[in-house]
Amino acid sequence: MADVDVFSALANPVRRRLLESLRSGPRAAGELAGDFELSRPAVSEHLAVLKSARLVREEPRGRHRYYHLEPDPLAEVEEWLHPFERYWRQRMRSLRDVLEKES
């Protein structure tokens, strides 16, 4: 699988939930699959996309594969979102000012 763009990987809600599940630490693929109403192969495909986007790392342990969250690529998302954060912060200040004037 060719490298996947971080934004494309995050576009799918199943993949976002998989990343959320990995925040508490590494988990086996089968254990992750149990959290979803999807087949194990479908969950494995989502994990492969996350791996291709470098958002997870796979660690073989015997017959199992454990997945670890790799948060570094999320910095690109944070960078992209930062201007929007400033925008909404300014909008909220403006709203607060209007509400204070009316009270």
Side-chain angles (χ1 to χ4, degrees):
M1 179 181 285
D3 282 355
V4 173
D5 165 34
V6 172
F7 292 95
S8 297
L10 293 174
N12 185 286
V14 171
R15 292 193 286 268
R16 291 193 303 269
R17 279 190 51 213
L18 283 165
L19 291 176
E20 289 168 5
S21 295
L22 292 171
R23 284 189 312 200
S24 59
R27 293 183 60 198
E31 183 184 350
L32 287 166
D35 293 346
F36 296 89
E37 292 184 18
L38 297 171
S39 67
R40 283 185 181 213
V43 172
S44 290
E45 285 182 36
H46 286 293
L47 287 167
V49 170
L50 292 172
K51 185 178 169 189
S52 180
R54 296 183 174 92
L55 288 165
V56 298
R57 172 175 54 86
E58 183 182 70
E59 175 193 2
R61 290 187 201 168
R63 292 181 24 202
H64 301 282
R65 298 203 178 282
Y66 281 78
Y67 287 86
H68 300 255
L69 178 64
E70 292 290 327
D72 291 345
L74 293 173
E76 180 183 351
V77 176
E78 183 182 14
E79 243 176 72
W80 184 81
L81 284 173
H82 189 68
F84 295 99
E85 179 185 351
R86 285 194 313 255
Y87 169 80
W88 284 110
R89 205 174 296 143
Q90 177 56 41
R91 300 287 295 170
M92 295 305 286
R93 276 195 292 270
S94 297
L95 176 61
R96 183 190 65 218
D97 293 346
V98 167
L99 292 173
E100 286 176 356
K101 286 180 186 176
E102 291 184 3
S103 31

